[in-house]
Structure formats: structure tokens, C-alpha cells
Amino acid sequence: MPRTVCLILYAFFVTSPHPSVALSNVLSKNRVNVGWTPQAHGNQRIGAEFGQVYNNTVSVNVSHTYRFTYTDKTNQTSAIRIHVSSSYKNVTQAYPILFVVRQQRSILSWQVPLVLQNVFEYFSVSRTLCPVIDTDEEAQVAIGAGTAVGAGPKDQIISVDVSSFSDVPQFYSLNASVVEQFVLETEVSLDVNVSASEPKYYKYEFPAGIDSVVVHALSEDSLCMVLSIQNLHCPVFDLDRNVEFTGEYQTMTKKAAITVQRDQLKGDNAFYVVIVLNPNDFECSGVEKIVPPAGATKKRIKMLTVTVQQSITDDEFYKAVFATLGAFLSFYLAAFIVHCIYHYIDNRYGSNEDILPEEESDNPSAPISASGANYGTTQTTESSAAANNMVSPVLTSQAHHDSDSSLDETDIDLLQDADSEKDVFRTKTFLYVADLARKNRKVLAKKYKLYHWSLITVAIFYGLPVIQLVITYQKVLHVTGNEDICYYNFLCAHPLGVLSAFNNVFSNAGYILLGILFLGLTWRRDFLNKKAIENNSIYEKKYGIPQHFGLFYAMGLALAMEGVMSGCYHVCPSYSNFQFDTAFMYVIAVLSMLKIYQTRHPDISATAYATYLVLAFIIFIAVIGVVYGTVWFWLILTIIHVLASIALSAQIYYMGRWQLNLGVFKRIWNICKTDGCGRPVYMDRMVMLVIANVANWSLAIYGMITQPKDAASYLLAVFIINLLLYTTFYIVMKLRFREKILLLPVIYIILAAVTWGFALYFFMSKLTTWEVTPAMSREGNKECFVLDFYDEHDIWHFLSAIALFLSFMILLTLDDDLIRKPRDKIPVF
């Protein structure tokens, strides 16, 4: 047997160009026959030193163990970084080189080539090892175990095993080094470069007196990476495939920021900042580029700057909160002062109702519409009936004495139905408010009360599921640590309790406070109106604009609910719940337009049921547009938009005498075919409707061409533009008919215009947008703008709440100059 072995060895050594390789192959194939075992000559132990590069080869028969000894410094945290590399020409995924690092309390392993996402191969890998336990911590452990031997430096042993199952020797290079700047300091920036196979992490320890910090990361390139905050544990999850397993994390292109509070670290006084570069940019851009063959790609290296900044203190936090409350409560004080001034004026000079005439229903000298004194208008139903009863005998007497006609006077049609049939009196060339205020006040009051009572029901059923949903979103964010779920402005996000961005939620308090204030002012005016009616019923029947407050109550409630729903949206902003932020903005816009129309058309305004049904359909369209905003959606929406504009124009032009159904388009066609394009009968209405249709058709065409992803904001812009046009038209027509605008409405108009201008400026500051990926959205993040607490979008909340309140006050007071004016002299437009 020994002779046979010698002959075999001699043959291979003589004939083989690589005797060592040939011998390895023979032994591996005949290990049973010759009694070979890997342990016989496989592992080599090497005493290694930091900073030295070790070049070597391993195979199935040869492995290496490097032993590093490190003496840590007293009361300092240190970390070791291992760098290994190999050539892609002789190392494959089938036979990789395996690296196993053993430490005091952990073990870490990887392979070369390192394969990420089952596609990308990396032949150069660097990993940071878990920091060694510092002397103070270990002393405490030893004391607890009763084995303390004193403080001082201690040797730490690190073992690195290198092996491979390849029959062919695999070349590799290895070196270990001490991380020079491993601990981050407050307000001190650190420049870092990472690659997908060479992640890095650093430690931050909370100094005394600091309980909350913000970890900022800035970069000039757009390579996709993950910024993670992890507790002090080993191993640290620092690879693309496991970085999301623990802690909090964000994807990042150019900006990222994570707020960390001391009390969320579960007893630890420090945390790790982990930086991992993704092998591709799909998670950040949503677009995956074609993957070049392995080894042919340019190495992805991302340069970034990491800074840990102190967050605001508790005193600064509460100062911003109470300053906001004080600013909005000052509106209550201003309203109280104005109320006192008007109360003083009324007591000294008398109120409006005191100067109105007494009840005229039984006065024979009262003006009668049938006498011809007021051409083109009518009195109320009661006075018209009285007038007809008075005129008929006179006309009959005159017929007997002044005419010899044998015609029976009872056969003469005196057109008495002209004052009662709407299809007759509404066709007059010029209408007055008295013509469209014939219905009983109590009946109309019940009709308009349905607006706010129905809105309360809608708010409850719509709001409760919304609150439940956003709370669930917030819980998911805290449990998973995935901060890509919500689109915050992370550079100005101040957490409180479960809320990750309390400032964005709290800034909506202005809507609620001013909405409640407007409800109070509406109630006051409603109370004074009822009091005036009790003192003199003629005030309600024949003078001024008919006072119906149901829509005003609904507007105030909608303003308050906008604050609630916008706050819910900002608990966790995302594309899936954006409609919460805009739903009641639709309601506000539609109710405001209805209120303007109702002012001089009280008998023919839409019902609450029809209004809220249309609003529900609009919100449904907005949701479909956000989720499925395809070409077909925008084509259908454009058609609906244009047809709805035409149908509503016909309804408004003919003062509600046309029913809104599919037959309206046929009637429009028939009128155009028979009457042609002559001069319109109702010129003012026609001018307004032409302008409105041009604007709406332009918006419809714009939407079809651009197809914006944010269909909800597009629809909101349509309503806001229509509201602006209608309000402008109303004010212009009021001036055209030489009606006065009192000082208080003028002040409201000026303040509202200025406030809207500033509000829209801040609205255009796109700090976040869910139309793109979370990482790309964070590129627009900015630092806090006011009090180190509120960002520019929070300012938009403040200013838009004030602007809406002032706009409501314009509508509430705009026609105060008509209180003493007879209703049959107030024109309809």
C-alpha cells in the first residue's frame, strides 16, 4: 500500500505542470483510500495586526484564522472595520469565499462575492464590527456578577475565519482597521462615503440636558440609500436585505432627517446611525435601470454629510403652541370689541328695525303692484292678493260707464296669475328680490336648516372612520419603523406622544377656532334678526335681503370640520388619504357659491340632499382620479365637466324653470335652432355665464392635456376659481346697480384679499408631495420657518383659515346696506 501511494505521487509530480493542485485533486478523490481528513493540514492560525494587508489563498483544503488583539481605551467606545476583496475572475457564487468574524458577544459572517437582491455581485466588502464593551459598562456587569477585578484597559480578541469549498485556490485580500471617528457629536458634521457592499454606521450618545435630537443627512447626488436609527444591539443590521428589520428608517436621495427622543430608546442612552446604499435606485425613484453584467459596472459610491442637531426644548415647544392659541383667540377679542361698539351705537342712535314703518298690510294707501307704480316687479303673495281684490271693482265700474261694449267683463283675462305663476313672473326682463322671495319664511327656514343638520351627520359618519384609519397608520409607522409610509416635512417635524409631526396637526387649530367663532357670530345675527321680526313683522316681509342662516351655519361647521379633517390627514400624509384634506374644502366652496346665489334667489336654491349628493359624487371622482388617473378617466371627466357647465348655465339663465335632466341639452339645441344667436333677453346673466363657461372649459381642456396626478387638487382648483369668479361678479354687479358697500365689508374684503395672497404664496412652497416617492418628496423638505416650530405649510394653514373666515364675514355682511331698502327695489343678478 505505501508503495502504491508513492508511485501515484511520483507520477503526478512529474507529469503535472501544477503538482500542488494535482495533489489536492487526487487526495480529494481518494481521501477514503488514503485515510485523508481536512483537519490534518487545513487550518492555519495567523496572528494579525491592525492596518496590515494580508494577501492569501484558500480552498477546500486550506483555511485561515486571523487573530486580532485590541486594547480598548478607558471610557471610550471604539469600533473595528474589516475590509476584504477578491477578483471576480476566479471567485463565483457557486464557490464563494466565506468570512466569519467572532467577537466577545457576537458573530458576523458574509461571503465574497456578496450578492444583493439576487442580481448584484460585489467582490469588495467592508463591514463594521459591533463596538467592544467599554470599561465602565463591563465593570458594572462584573460587579453584578461578583467578579469585578478593577477598572482599566482590557484586551479584546477578534477572530476572522476565511474558508472556501472550491477545489481551486481562491485569492483574497484582508485588512482590519480601527474606526477613527465612530462616535458622532452634537452639531458636528461628518462626511461619509458608502457603497452597497460597504455600509457604515456610527454611534451617538445623548449628552446631559438633551432629550431630543434630529439626525440630518444631506447629499448632492441622487443615489438611493437608507438612513436607519437602531438601538444598541449586536449584530447591527447594515445590509440592503436586513436594514429594515429593526429601528426607524427612511429611504433617501438628497435629504433625510429622523427625530430621535431619549425616552424612545428603551433605557439606552445612545443609538446607532446606520447608512446603507441600495444596489439600485428603484426604491427611491420608482424606476429600475437596466442592470449591466457583473463586474462591468462603475462602483456606486455615495458622498453625504451626517449631522446630529438638537431639537427644540420643551419651553420652546409650549411657547409656539400657546402663541398660536393666543393669536387665534385674539379674533374672539376683536369680535367682542366690534359687538360692543355696535351695541353702543344701537343703544344711542337706535337699531335698524326702529326706523322701519309699522305693519302696512291693512293700510289702503300702501303701494300696490297692480297700480303700475312699480313696473317689472311684484309684491309679496299677501299684498298681491289684496291688490287684486281692490283693483277688480274699480276696473268693473269703469267698464260700465266708459264703454258700450256688450262683452261680459267676467270674460276678460286680467292676467291675475302673472303674480302667482312662476313660469310667468320669472320671465320678466328684469327681476327684483321680491319676485323670488314669495315662499313662506318658515318653510324656507326648515329647508335651509337641513344644510347644517345634514352636514353634522355627514361629518360624524365621515370623520370617525378617518380618525380610526389615521391612528392605525400612525401605529403601523411606530411598529414597523418605516417612515416612508407618511410624507412629512422631516426637517421640521416635532413629535408629541403618538404623533410624529404634532406641529402639522396642531396648525389646523385655526380652522376649528375660527369656524366656532363664525358659528357664534351667525347665531348672534340670527338672534337679532328674530328679535327684529318679533318687533316688526314688516321687517321680514318687505325689506332687505331675506335672512336665512342655515347655509351660514353649515359654512361655519364646514370650516371647523376642515380643521379636523386636515389634522387627520397630517397625522400621516399620503396619497391614500389625501381626500381627507380636501373633502370639506369642496363643501366650503360649494356652500359659499350656494349662499351667494341664495341671497337674491331664496326661492330657487338647491336642496341640501341634492347638494350633498353632488359633493359625494365629486369626492368619488377625486378618489378615482388619484388611484386610477388614466387617459380614459380624464377624457370622461372633461366631458362631464363641459356638459355640467352647460346644464347649470341653462338652469341659472332661466331661473330654475328648466328641470336638470338629459332633456336640457335637447331644449338648448331647439332654442338655438329657433331663436338663433340674437341678443339675449337677460344680458347680465348671459355675461356672467359666458365668462364662467370660458373659464370652466379652459380648465377642462387643461386637465385633459396635462392629466395631473393630483386630481383632488385639480377639482378643488376648479371650485375655488368658480367661487372667486362668482364673488367678483356679485360685487361688481352690486356696484353697477349703485348699491353701497359699508365700511366693515370693505375692511373684510381688503383683509381677505391680502391674506389670500400671502396664503397662496406659502401654499406654493411644495415641502412634500405624494405624487412622487417618499425619498424624492424629502428633497423638498425645509427647516422650520416660524418659532423653530412651524414650517411654511403650517403658515398656509394659519393664513388660509383666517382668509376663509374673512371671506365668510364678507358674505355675512356684504348686503347690510340693503336692510332698510324695500325688497321690491332690490335687483336680482
Side-chain angles (χ1 to χ4, degrees):
M1 182 67 179
R3 183 178 180 181
T4 303
V5 173
C6 291
L7 289 174
I8 293 173
L9 292 176
Y10 173 78
F12 274 94
F13 271 98
V14 172
T15 60
S16 176
H18 301 284
S20 61
V21 176
L23 177 61
S24 177
N25 293 335
V26 170
L27 292 178
S28 63
K29 294 178 181 178
N30 299 278
R31 56 184 62 174
V32 176
N33 295 330
V34 300
W36 181 90
T37 58
Q39 289 79 9
H41 54 81
N43 185 266
Q44 300 178 10
R45 296 182 180 273
I46 304 172
E49 296 181 359
F50 292 102
Q52 183 175 343
V53 178
Y54 295 91
N55 299 315
N56 220 326
T57 59
V58 291
S59 66
V60 69
N61 299 318
V62 180
S63 62
H64 300 137
T65 298
Y66 295 87
R67 184 183 178 89
F68 296 89
T69 301
Y70 174 73
T71 302
D72 60 344
K73 299 179 181 179
T74 304
N75 299 328
Q76 288 189 3
T77 301
S78 303
I80 306 300
R81 189 164 179 83
I82 305 293
H83 175 76
V84 298
S85 62
S86 182
S87 173
Y88 69 91
K89 294 181 179 179
N90 61 354
V91 180
T92 63
Q93 293 187 34
Y95 295 100
I97 302 176
L98 306 177
F99 296 87
V100 180
V101 180
R102 291 176 291 169
Q103 294 178 264
Q104 177 181 339
R105 295 196 308 171
S106 64
I107 186 171
L108 181 65
S109 64
W110 67 89
Q111 68 184 45
V112 175
L114 179 65
V115 181
L116 299 178
Q117 298 184 359
N118 297 320
V119 175
F120 302 94
E121 293 183 347
Y122 297 91
F123 295 89
S124 178
V125 180
S126 295
R127 304 291 296 277
T128 301
L129 308 184
C130 263
V132 295
I133 302 176
D134 68 25
T135 305
D136 286 348
E137 292 177 353
E138 187 160 285
Q140 294 296 329
V141 174
I143 291 172
T147 60
V149 293
K154 181 179 178 180
D155 290 341
Q156 302 289 337
I157 299 175
I158 300 172
S159 177
V160 181
D161 296 333
V162 186
S163 61
S164 175
F165 280 88
S166 173
D167 294 335
V168 180
Q170 307 278 25
F171 172 82
Y172 70 90
S173 175
L174 178 146
N175 73 295
S177 60
V178 179
V179 180
E180 296 294 337
Q181 191 175 356
F182 181 71
V183 179
L184 298 174
E185 299 180 8
T186 308
E187 307 295 342
V188 178
S189 299
L190 177 65
D191 294 329
V192 182
N193 59 83
V194 293
S195 67
S197 62
E198 299 177 349
K200 294 181 180 180
Y201 62 88
Y202 300 89
K203 182 181 179 181
Y204 177 81
E205 299 177 355
F206 276 100
I210 296 180
D211 296 323
S212 179
V213 295
V214 182
V215 181
H216 292 255
L218 300 175
S219 178
E220 294 183 357
D221 61 68
S222 299
L223 296 179
C224 184
M225 60 159 278
V226 176
L227 178 69
S228 174
I229 302 297
Q230 301 181 18
N231 290 331
L232 299 182
H233 61 73
C234 288
V236 176
F237 297 104
D238 60 350
L239 288 178
D240 170 75
R241 57 173 173 260
N242 61 20
V243 70
E244 300 175 358
F245 288 177
T246 187
E248 300 176 350
Y249 62 91
Q250 298 176 4
T251 55
M252 167 188 165
T253 53
K254 295 184 177 182
K255 292 182 182 180
I258 300 179
T259 300
V260 186
Q261 295 177 305
R262 188 194 294 264
D263 56 8
Q264 76 184 61
L265 298 177
K266 301 178 181 178
D268 292 330
N269 196 41
F271 57 87
Y272 291 136
V273 179
V274 184
I275 305 167
V276 179
L277 181 65
N278 290 359
N280 65 6
D281 297 328
F282 178 74
E283 287 193 34
C284 294
S285 65
V287 178
E288 187 170 3
K289 298 179 180 179
I290 298 175
V291 181
T297 60
K298 183 179 179 181
K299 190 173 182 180
R300 288 166 53 93
I301 299 178
K302 186 176 185 67
M303 305 291 296
L304 68 151
T305 301
V306 179
T307 309
V308 181
Q309 299 178 352
Q310 180 181 0
S311 185
I312 64 173
T313 63
D314 290 343
D315 292 340
E316 294 172 329
F317 187 99
Y318 293 117
K319 176 183 177 182
V321 170
F322 287 111
T324 302
L325 292 176
F328 283 106
L329 290 177
S330 65
F331 282 84
Y332 285 77
L333 179 61
F336 177 75
I337 293 174
V338 172
H339 167 73
C340 292
I341 293 174
Y342 273 82
H343 183 71
Y344 171 78
I345 294 175
D346 290 342
N347 289 338
R348 182 164 183 175
Y349 300 103
S351 59
N352 290 323
E353 58 268 17
D354 294 337
I355 64 174
L356 292 177
E358 298 295 331
E359 178 64 53
E360 298 178 352
S361 58
D362 298 328
N363 185 2
S365 62
I368 302 171
S369 62
S371 65
N374 295 318
Y375 175 76
T377 185
T378 61
Q379 300 290 340
T380 58
T381 304
E382 295 84 349
S383 61
S384 297
N388 291 334
N389 293 335
M390 295 175 61
V391 169
S392 296
V394 176
L395 295 178
T396 303
S397 176
Q398 289 179 351
H400 281 291
H401 292 86
D402 301 335
S403 174
D404 58 353
S405 173
S406 60
L407 183 64
D408 188 357
E409 289 84 356
T410 59
D411 294 335
I412 300 176
D413 186 1
L414 298 177
L415 296 179
Q416 296 180 8
D417 58 347
D419 289 337
S420 60
E421 181 59 41
K422 66 178 183 179
D423 287 331
V424 177
F425 67 78
R426 291 183 189 173
T427 58
K428 292 187 295 184
T429 304
F430 199 82
L431 288 173
Y432 291 90
V433 172
D435 297 320
L436 299 180
R438 294 166 167 265
K439 294 183 179 179
N440 186 276
R441 185 185 70 87
K442 294 183 179 180
V443 174
L444 289 179
K446 291 181 179 180
K447 172 184 176 181
Y448 292 125
K449 281 183 179 179
L450 291 176
Y451 275 98
H452 60 269
W453 287 115
S454 299
L455 190 60
I456 292 174
T457 305
V458 171
I460 294 174
F461 278 87
Y462 189 77
L464 291 179
V466 168
I467 296 174
Q468 180 182 7
L469 179 63
V470 296
I471 291 176
T472 302
Y473 269 121
Q474 191 71 82
K475 289 182 177 179
V476 170
L477 184 149
H478 289 306
V479 171
T480 63
N482 182 9
E483 296 199 347
D484 284 354
I485 295 176
C486 306
Y487 287 71
Y488 300 120
N489 176 17
F490 288 92
L491 293 179
C492 186
H494 302 288
L496 178 66
V498 298
L499 300 178
S500 298
F502 172 77
N503 55 303
N504 295 149
V505 177
F506 182 73
S507 61
N508 292 281
Y511 296 108
I512 301 175
L513 293 175
L514 295 182
I516 295 174
L517 176 59
F518 184 76
L519 287 173
L521 295 175
T522 300
W523 176 86
R524 172 186 174 275
R525 181 164 287 227
D526 190 9
F527 173 78
L528 294 177
N529 180 68
K530 291 178 180 178
K531 184 179 178 180
I533 293 175
E534 291 176 358
N535 295 336
N536 194 344
S537 61
I538 197 68
Y539 174 77
E540 181 268 334
K541 292 180 180 180
K542 296 184 179 181
Y543 285 87
I545 297 293
Q547 299 295 307
H548 301 290
F549 297 93
L551 275 170
F552 281 130
Y553 284 120
M555 290 163 61
L557 179 61
L559 181 58
M561 279 304 302
E562 169 59 24
V564 174
M565 301 305 292
S566 180
C568 289
Y569 164 71
H570 284 90
V571 170
C572 182
S574 66
Y575 90 98
S576 59
N577 59 6
F578 181 69
Q579 66 272 17
F580 303 158
D581 192 28
T582 57
F584 277 86
M585 291 298 289
Y586 298 144
V587 176
I588 290 173
V590 171
L591 291 181
S592 298
M593 286 188 285
L594 283 176
K595 183 57 194 177
I596 297 174
Y597 186 77
Q598 180 220 56
T599 301
R600 306 198 183 219
H601 310 76
D603 288 356
I604 58 176
S605 293
T607 63
Y609 306 116
T611 301
Y612 292 129
L613 180 62
V614 171
L615 284 168
F617 179 70
I618 292 168
I619 294 175
F620 173 75
I621 291 177
V623 173
I624 297 298
V626 171
V627 180
Y628 302 105
T630 61
V631 176
W632 287 105
F633 166 80
W634 285 102
L635 178 61
I636 295 173
L637 178 61
T638 301
I639 294 174
I640 293 175
H641 191 175
V642 172
L643 294 180
S645 300
I646 296 174
L648 286 174
S649 298
Q651 178 76 359
I652 294 173
Y653 185 77
Y654 288 104
M655 292 293 179
R657 290 184 290 112
W658 283 18
Q659 293 185 355
L660 279 178
N661 52 36
L662 296 178
V664 68
F665 303 104
K666 183 178 180 181
R667 289 193 291 272
I668 292 174
W669 171 253
N670 290 334
I671 288 178
C672 293
K673 186 170 60 174
T674 57
D675 296 346
C677 300
R679 188 178 187 277
V681 178
Y682 315 109
M683 180 59 69
D684 293 335
R685 274 177 264 168
M686 178 58 69
V687 171
M688 176 194 71
L689 293 173
V690 167
I691 295 174
N693 275 271
V694 169
N696 280 274
W697 292 8
S698 301
L699 290 170
I701 295 172
Y702 170 80
M704 181 61 202
I705 294 174
T706 60
Q707 298 180 18
K709 292 183 180 180
D710 190 356
S713 294
Y714 166 80
L715 290 174
L716 180 60
V718 171
F719 284 105
I720 294 298
I721 291 174
N722 278 276
L723 174 59
L724 180 62
L725 289 174
Y726 196 16
T727 305
T728 304
F729 170 81
Y730 189 89
I731 294 175
V732 170
M733 293 298 294
K734 188 175 176 67
L735 296 175
R736 178 179 176 232
F737 284 95
R738 299 181 180 179
E739 295 180 359
K740 297 179 180 179
I741 299 180
L742 301 181
L743 177 61
L744 192 59
V746 170
I747 294 175
Y748 287 140
I749 292 172
I750 295 174
L751 292 177
V754 173
T755 308
W756 273 121
F758 284 105
L760 292 175
Y761 170 80
F762 286 104
F763 177 76
M764 299 305 294
S765 300
K766 290 291 185 179
L767 303 180
T768 62
T769 173
W770 49 261
E771 298 179 29
V772 296
T773 61
M776 297 177 68
S777 172
R778 273 187 281 273
E779 293 181 8
N781 288 181
K782 294 181 181 179
E783 300 282 351
C784 295
F785 186 75
V786 174
L787 299 176
D788 290 328
F789 190 79
Y790 297 113
D791 60 22
E792 294 179 4
H793 192 74
D794 294 326
I795 306 303
W796 149 255
H797 287 161
F798 296 146
L799 294 179
S800 61
I802 296 173
L804 284 171
F805 172 77
L806 294 173
S807 300
F808 287 0
M809 293 305 298
I810 293 173
L811 300 183
L812 187 65
T813 60
L814 186 58
D815 288 318
D816 284 355
D817 60 301
L818 303 177
I819 292 177
R820 308 173 188 176
K821 189 172 184 178
R823 194 169 295 172
D824 56 4
K825 295 182 180 180
I826 301 176
V828 172
F829 45 78

